[in-house]
């Protein structure tokens, strides 16, 4: 990781008319002058009096704005859909033909929720356009060729009926093991606690530690025993 402070980056300085007349060219100039991958350009007022007049809110400076850019785009076929059971929804993940994009081999991309699958017609055989958001995270831009989507009516984990909640489907069974795993994993992720990855938490749930209270009551010896239990 190479930390670069914004104030240390050399940037073109122009007046308002030059900015509006040459915005795209200036953004390209700023992008290609850096030895780092970027996903956009920050445009900033540098006159202190104007900055003071424009002020800020709780989240943003009004004298700064980001102009995002779309990176490299690829059209790729969907080979299948996996449905991942989470604590609040069942998330569709598209399995893709392995495709090189912005220097990385992309094999999977999230479709976020069942509503996307339904509205875009996503499924095996569909042709979609993808990019890498921020040159990092694979992201669906849209569908070029749609298919008739297949959306689960029962949970892929416990086989209990699912229900629609807005655009998402969710498992209705509180005792679903993957829902329990997701809830415990999410809790420790929020706490930024180590050693509670998904496979470890799956072992805990498989050994009867299905709630936060039971996990917090686990002893060191029990934790070691669970950690070395192989899932089948």
């Amino acid at each position: 990781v190479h930390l670069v402070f914004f104030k240390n980056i050399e940037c073109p300085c122009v007046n308002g008319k030059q900015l509006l007349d040459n915005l795209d060219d200036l953004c390209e100039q700023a992008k290609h002058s850096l030895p780092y991958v970027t996903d956009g350009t920050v445009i900033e007022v540098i006159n202190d009096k104007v900055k003071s007049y424009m002020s800020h809110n709780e989240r943003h400076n009004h004298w700064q704005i980001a102009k995002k850019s779309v990176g490299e785009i690829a059209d790729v076929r969907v080979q299948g859909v996996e449905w991942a059971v989470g604590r609040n929804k069942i998330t569709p993940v598209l399995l893709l033909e392995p495709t090189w994009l912005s220097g990385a081999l992309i094999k999977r991309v999230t479709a976020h929720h069942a509503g996307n699958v339904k509205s875009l017609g996503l499924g095996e055989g569909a042709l979609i356009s993808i990019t890498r958001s921020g040159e990092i995270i694979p992201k669906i831009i849209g569908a070029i060729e749609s298919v008739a989507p297949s959306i689960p009516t029962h949970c892929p984990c416990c086989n209990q009926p699912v229900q629609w909640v807005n655009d998402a489907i969710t498992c209705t069974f509180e005792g679903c093991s993957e829902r329990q795993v997701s809830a415990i994993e999410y809790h420790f992720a929020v706490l930024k606690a180590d050693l509670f990855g998904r496979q470890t938490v799956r072992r805990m749930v498989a050994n009867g530690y299905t709630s936060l209270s039971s996990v917090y009551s686990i002893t060191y010896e029990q934790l070691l025993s669970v950690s070395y239990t192989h899932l089948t």
Side-chain angles (χ1 to χ4, degrees):
V1 176
H2 185 191
L3 177 62
V4 181
F5 290 101
F6 179 73
K7 66 180 181 179
N8 294 333
I9 298 175
E10 292 187 10
C11 302
C13 181
V14 297
N15 60 37
K17 185 177 186 308
Q18 291 170 325
L19 176 67
L20 295 177
D21 290 345
N22 305 282
L23 179 58
D24 290 338
D25 289 341
L26 288 167
C27 289
E28 284 298 307
Q29 178 184 337
K31 177 179 179 179
H32 294 298
S33 65
L34 290 173
Y36 313 105
V37 175
T38 64
D39 69 338
T41 305
V42 175
I43 302 165
E44 174 183 304
V45 173
I46 61 173
N47 183 292
D48 288 336
K49 289 184 178 180
V50 178
K51 287 168 66 173
S52 177
Y53 177 80
M54 296 180 75
S55 189
H56 57 83
N57 59 27
E58 292 182 354
R59 297 181 60 190
H60 306 291
N61 294 317
H62 290 156
W63 42 267
Q64 279 182 327
I65 190 170
K67 183 179 184 298
K68 295 291 185 177
S69 59
V70 177
E72 184 181 352
I73 297 173
D75 298 338
V76 59
R77 289 283 177 188
V78 177
Q79 295 183 324
V81 183
E82 283 185 356
W83 294 86
V85 181
R87 61 193 185 96
N88 292 325
K89 67 177 180 179
I90 301 175
T91 302
V93 178
L94 306 187
L95 308 180
L96 309 176
E97 290 178 343
T99 303
W100 284 99
L101 185 64
S102 299
L105 186 63
I106 308 300
K107 299 179 180 180
R108 302 162 65 90
V109 63
T110 179
H112 296 293
H113 51 68
N116 262 348
V117 172
K118 184 177 181 179
S119 62
L120 295 178
L122 303 177
E124 184 177 354
L127 181 65
I128 63 173
S129 289
I130 62 171
T131 186
R132 291 180 68 200
S133 180
E135 300 290 348
I136 299 174
I137 303 171
K139 176 184 177 182
I140 299 171
I141 298 176
I144 301 171
E145 297 176 10
S146 300
V147 299
S150 176
I151 298 174
T153 57
H154 290 73
C155 174
C157 174
C158 65
N159 203 37
Q160 295 296 309
V162 303
Q163 66 180 3
W164 282 86
V165 179
N166 298 320
D167 284 328
I169 56 172
T170 182
C171 177
T172 57
F173 180 44
E174 291 290 341
C176 175
S177 62
E178 279 298 284
R179 286 191 64 187
Q180 294 168 338
V181 168
S182 296
I184 295 170
E185 182 187 25
Y186 175 80
H187 172 80
F188 288 105
V190 170
L191 296 180
K192 298 181 179 179
D194 293 331
L195 306 179
F196 288 91
R198 196 164 190 84
Q199 291 304 316
T200 298
V201 176
R202 276 186 175 140
R203 293 188 185 98
M204 290 181 172
V205 170
N207 281 272
Y209 301 96
T210 58
S211 65
L212 287 174
S213 59
S214 64
V215 171
Y216 274 109
S217 69
I218 197 170
T219 66
Y220 178 71
E221 290 75 16
Q222 289 169 331
L223 179 60
L224 285 180
S225 174
V226 167
S227 297
Y228 288 100
T229 299
H230 294 287
L231 294 174
T232 57

